[in-house]
């Protein structure tokens, strides 16, 4: 299934999804307000994540038809998420990263030379800026021509503050170090040329904005919608502020991302994007009310204050497709994007916390609420060491409940993980609370973005940890009986069981 040639555009991604039989075209008129969300929600809740949908006739709030089709749930299955990144299995990317991280320079000229192809592969990834008029700028709106309501931007849930761009790639630049960031932050449409940028305080885009605001400088910002699927995914990935997401996307797709100069901003944008919204934030202006928004917690997030972006240009391909998603009660499409992150970032976590064997963030835990980790326990107290390490790493610091298990537990199966964990814990002994930053979306914490965390040490306890009773053996059938029953099974007329 992995394509030989990387997918360069959203159109190629949609065609590839069609090619594996996972695309459904919807020709009936569907309202951008609520109806599209309700249809997508029902599809996303079906087993395996449902099909990708291409709405060809989206009805705008004024009753007219949007000139542009809207695609949703493009990343919403394991198969499509792998397709987006050009792999058979997401763990293939983790294996590539592990290999690169283990790159030790061997002795001897010939051996050194054998490393060259791998090193050159890395060198091929940086994004490249192309001259000329890129596809993303085939059509350009400026000034009064700009009308975001022409796009099929959806209002997801009944109590949302308005229509939202939900699958954007928000491009900004660190004013000090000059490093680019691409983040996926929802954007509320406030008017034909004004939008509100919901980058949460822990995110890199928000840090760039704080820096710019402190300097009193106007901040350029560009929003690309729909591009090569690796770049779209990369916008959602929790990379450190020092890593450019387009470089990372280049690594994932094994080919550089093509960029072009924005028309009214001093920023580069994906040359193959479907739409690009260019604009600026004026630090002298008051913040605007953003929200409420039906969020990926499954609850509404309250309205809050965020910066307004003034749109200076909208550029697009000649026949663009608008890419969107919805969030709400899990599972939704974002589970698959988050799952890719879980798999791809595992080797990086292992780099600093080497005893980690595997990890999993189940859909119900919406990423930050629940993290299962299995470890190769070698000494007493190691589960706590791992918890503390994870709570000290990037966005993992927002994890609310961390459950640490032994290496033989399959943490990717939440039923197995809970079964073993609940058997293994003496709650008073094995639970620890700590304090720290919590996710902006957490509505339960005592204060906004500040609260407690729970760590559960569900590993087998050692005598040094005060456990001197016998630890019971896991029940398993002996091999001889198993093979006798295997031979008998076809004669029994029973289903399954092999
Ligand atoms: C569909 C979707 C919507 C998201 N919406 C937001 C959002 O509105 N605000 C936000 O701060 N993060 C949001 N996120 C999470 C960020 O994209 C994620 O934390 C990413 O790592 C941020 O990039 P950064 O690390 O470069 O800041 C969303 C993620 C997805 C998949």
């Amino acid at each position: 299934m992995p394509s030989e040639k990387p997918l360069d555009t959203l159109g190629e991604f949609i065609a590839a999804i069609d090619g594996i039989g996972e695309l459904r075209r919807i020709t009936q008129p569907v309202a951008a307000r609520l109806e599209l969300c309700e249809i997508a929600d029902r599809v996303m809740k079906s087993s395996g994540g449902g099909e990708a949908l291409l709405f060809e006739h989206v009805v705008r709030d004024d009753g007219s038809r949007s000139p542009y089709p809207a695609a949703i749930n493009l990343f919403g299955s394991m198969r499509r998420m792998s397709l987006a990144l050009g792999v058979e299995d997401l763990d293939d990317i983790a294996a590539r990263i592990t290999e690169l991280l283990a790159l030790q320079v061997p002795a001897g000229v010939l051996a050194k030379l054998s490393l060259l192809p791998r090193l050159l592969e890395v060198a091929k990834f940086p994004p490249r800026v192309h001259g000329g008029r890129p596809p993303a700028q085939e059509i350009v709106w400026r000034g009064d021509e700009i009308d975001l309501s022409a796009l099929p931007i959806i209002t997801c849930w009944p109590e949302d503050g308005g229509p939202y761009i939900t699958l954007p790639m928000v491009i900004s630049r660190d004013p000090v170090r000059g490093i680019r960031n691409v983040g996926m932050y929802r954007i509320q449409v406030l008017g034909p040329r004004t939008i509100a940028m919901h980058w949460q305080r822990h995110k890199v885009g928000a840090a760039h904005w704080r820096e710019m605001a402190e300097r009193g400088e106007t901040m350029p910002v560009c929003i690309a919608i729909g591009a090569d699927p690796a770049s779209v995914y990369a916008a959602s990935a929790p990379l450190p502020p020092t890593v450019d997401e387009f470089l990372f996307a280049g690594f994932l797709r094994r080919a550089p991302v093509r960029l072009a100069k924005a028309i009214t901003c001093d920023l580069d944008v994906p040359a193959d994007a479907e739409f690009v919204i260019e604009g600026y934030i004026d630090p002298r202006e008051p913040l605007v009310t953003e929200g409420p928004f039906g969020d990926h917690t499954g609850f509404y997030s309250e309205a809050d204050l965020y910066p307004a972006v003034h749109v200076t240009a909208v550029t697009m391909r000649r026949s663009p497709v608008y890419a969107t998603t919805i969030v709400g009660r899990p599972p939704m499409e974002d589970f698959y994007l988050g799952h890719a992150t879980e798999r791809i970032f595992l080797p990086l976590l292992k780099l600093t916390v080497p005893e980690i064997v595997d990890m999993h963030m189940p859909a119900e835990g919406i990423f930050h609420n629940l993290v299962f980790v299995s470890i190769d326990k070698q000494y007493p107290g190691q589960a706590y060491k791992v918890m503390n390490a994870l709570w000290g790493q990037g966005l993992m610091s927002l994890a609310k409940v961390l459950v640490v298990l032994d290496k033989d537990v399959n943490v990717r199966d939440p039923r197995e993980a809970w079964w073993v964990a609940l058997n293994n814990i003496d709650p008073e002994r094995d639970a620890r609370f700590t304090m720290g930053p919590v996710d902006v979306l957490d509505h339960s914490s005592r204060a906004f973005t500040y609260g407690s965390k729970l760590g559960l040490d569900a590993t087998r306890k050692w005598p040094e940890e005060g456990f001197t009773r016998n630890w019971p053996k896991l029940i398993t059938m002996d091999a001889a009986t198993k093979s006798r029953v295997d031979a008998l099974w076809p004669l029994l007329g029973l289903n399954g069981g092999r």
Side-chain angles (χ1 to χ4, degrees):
M1 197 229 325
S3 50
E4 294 298 307
K5 177 188 160 308
L7 299 167
D8 286 332
T9 64
L10 192 80
E12 288 180 15
F13 184 33
I14 293 173
I17 293 172
D18 205 7
I20 59 166
E22 291 199 11
L23 181 75
R24 183 65 66 99
R25 290 169 196 277
I26 311 280
T27 51
Q28 283 87 348
V30 170
R33 192 182 146 70
L34 309 184
E35 279 181 15
L36 198 151
C37 173
E38 175 63 14
I39 295 168
D41 185 31
R42 292 188 195 187
V43 170
M44 289 181 196
K45 294 288 185 291
S46 57
S47 134
E51 294 170 293
L53 305 176
L54 186 63
F55 289 90
E56 295 180 348
H57 186 152
V58 184
V59 180
R60 301 190 294 174
D61 290 357
D62 67 3
S64 68
R65 178 181 184 163
S66 169
Y68 314 108
I72 196 163
N73 207 23
L74 295 176
F75 295 87
S77 77
M78 289 299 177
R79 197 154 174 226
R80 296 201 294 280
M81 194 60 241
S82 300
L83 182 68
L85 303 182
V87 288
E88 198 68 62
D89 189 307
L90 295 169
D91 283 321
D92 298 348
I93 301 170
R96 246 178 95 207
I97 294 177
T98 307
E99 203 184 316
L100 277 175
L101 294 175
L103 213 64
Q104 282 169 359
V105 182
V109 179
L110 276 180
K112 279 197 177 81
L113 280 177
S114 71
L115 275 183
L116 259 179
R118 275 156 75 196
L119 291 172
L120 282 178
E121 193 197 14
V122 183
K124 278 194 304 204
F125 302 144
R128 296 194 183 145
V129 183
H130 289 252
R133 192 170 188 160
Q137 294 168 356
E138 280 168 349
I139 293 171
V140 178
W141 296 344
R142 297 173 197 252
D144 290 350
E145 284 175 302
I146 301 169
D147 179 11
L148 289 174
S149 76
L151 276 56
I153 299 174
I154 59 175
T155 301
C156 304
W157 301 104
E159 290 176 35
D160 280 5
Y164 273 89
I165 299 168
T166 53
L167 201 69
M169 303 155 67
V170 178
I171 303 159
S172 61
R173 189 176 44 236
D174 179 334
V176 183
R177 291 178 286 189
I179 304 170
R180 174 178 29 237
N181 187 69
V182 189
M184 185 170 286
Y185 318 118
R186 72 171 188 242
I187 297 161
Q188 185 176 352
V189 178
L190 302 176
R193 289 176 283 283
T194 317
I195 53 186
M197 178 61 69
H198 181 262
W199 43 40
Q200 297 158 356
R201 57 162 40 152
H202 304 119
K203 306 301 169 75
V204 180
H208 289 181
W209 166 59
R210 282 194 297 269
E211 239 354 297
M212 294 297 272
E214 257 172 45
R215 294 159 163 242
E217 286 177 28
T218 299
M219 176 178 188
V221 61
C222 286
I223 298 134
I225 302 166
D228 71 89
S231 290
V232 179
Y233 158 71
S236 77
L239 290 164
T242 45
V243 180
D244 173 0
E245 278 78 3
F246 287 143
L247 171 67
F248 181 59
F251 167 78
L252 292 174
R253 34 187 261 114
R254 296 174 189 262
V257 173
R258 275 170 26 98
L259 298 178
K261 296 224 159 300
I263 291 175
T264 57
C265 283
D266 179 22
L267 288 171
D268 297 329
V269 297
D272 292 298
E274 300 294 306
F275 293 91
V276 177
I277 299 171
E278 303 183 6
Y280 68 89
I281 300 173
D282 182 346
R284 291 164 292 269
E285 280 183 356
L287 300 175
V288 293
T289 302
E290 190 272 357
F293 181 67
D295 228 311
H296 84 138
T297 54
F299 295 85
Y300 282 102
S301 293
E302 283 184 355
D304 203 350
L305 295 175
Y306 281 90
V309 180
H310 299 285
V311 180
T312 48
V314 172
T315 76
M316 65 190 85
R317 302 172 76 92
R318 204 157 286 122
S319 302
V321 174
Y322 176 78
T324 191
T325 191
I326 55 166
V327 294
R329 183 176 172 156
M332 289 285 200
E333 181 178 3
D334 65 335
F335 168 70
Y336 298 92
L337 290 161
H339 185 71
T341 291
E342 174 192 301
R343 294 293 97 202
I344 294 169
F345 282 68
L346 182 61
L348 299 168
L349 266 188
K350 285 185 184 179
L351 199 62
T352 42
V353 195
E355 57 268 73
I356 291 184
V357 173
D358 204 353
M359 67 170 294
H360 183 52
M361 296 179 277
E364 307 75 49
I366 54 161
F367 314 125
H368 48 266
N369 280 350
L370 177 62
V371 183
F372 289 117
V373 194
S374 57
I375 63 165
D376 185 6
K377 182 168 167 177
Q378 300 288 330
Y379 48 81
Q382 202 166 356
Y384 296 114
K385 180 238 181 202
V386 170
M387 288 174 204
N388 291 324
L390 290 181
W391 280 322
Q393 304 243 353
L395 289 183
M396 197 53 95
S397 64
L398 306 180
K400 183 142 95 171
V401 177
L402 274 179
V403 184
V404 185
L405 293 124
D406 286 309
K407 65 178 176 197
D408 50 344
V409 181
N410 176 12
V411 290
R412 290 205 226 169
D413 175 356
R415 291 169 70 180
E416 176 170 332
W418 276 130
W419 161 61
V420 177
L422 295 172
N423 268 300
N424 279 7
I425 56 164
D426 171 320
E428 192 261 347
R429 182 195 59 205
D430 296 331
R432 287 292 178 283
F433 293 112
T434 188
M435 298 299 295
V438 303
D439 197 276
V440 164
L441 304 185
D442 189 304
H443 57 244
S444 68
S445 59
R446 66 207 64 195
F448 180 60
T449 69
Y450 173 67
S452 68
K453 283 121 194 310
L454 169 65
L456 282 181
D457 175 3
T459 59
R460 181 183 175 148
K461 299 301 164 324
W462 290 24
E464 295 92 326
E465 293 170 328
F467 189 87
T468 49
R469 297 173 59 207
N470 289 331
W471 196 269
K473 282 176 79 175
L474 203 65
I475 306 169
T476 50
M477 185 49 71
D478 65 276
T481 308
K482 270 176 173 286
S483 67
R484 279 201 310 279
V485 171
D486 279 348
L488 200 56
W489 196 260
L491 310 174
L492 301 178
L494 297 168
N495 292 325
R498 284 190 67 105

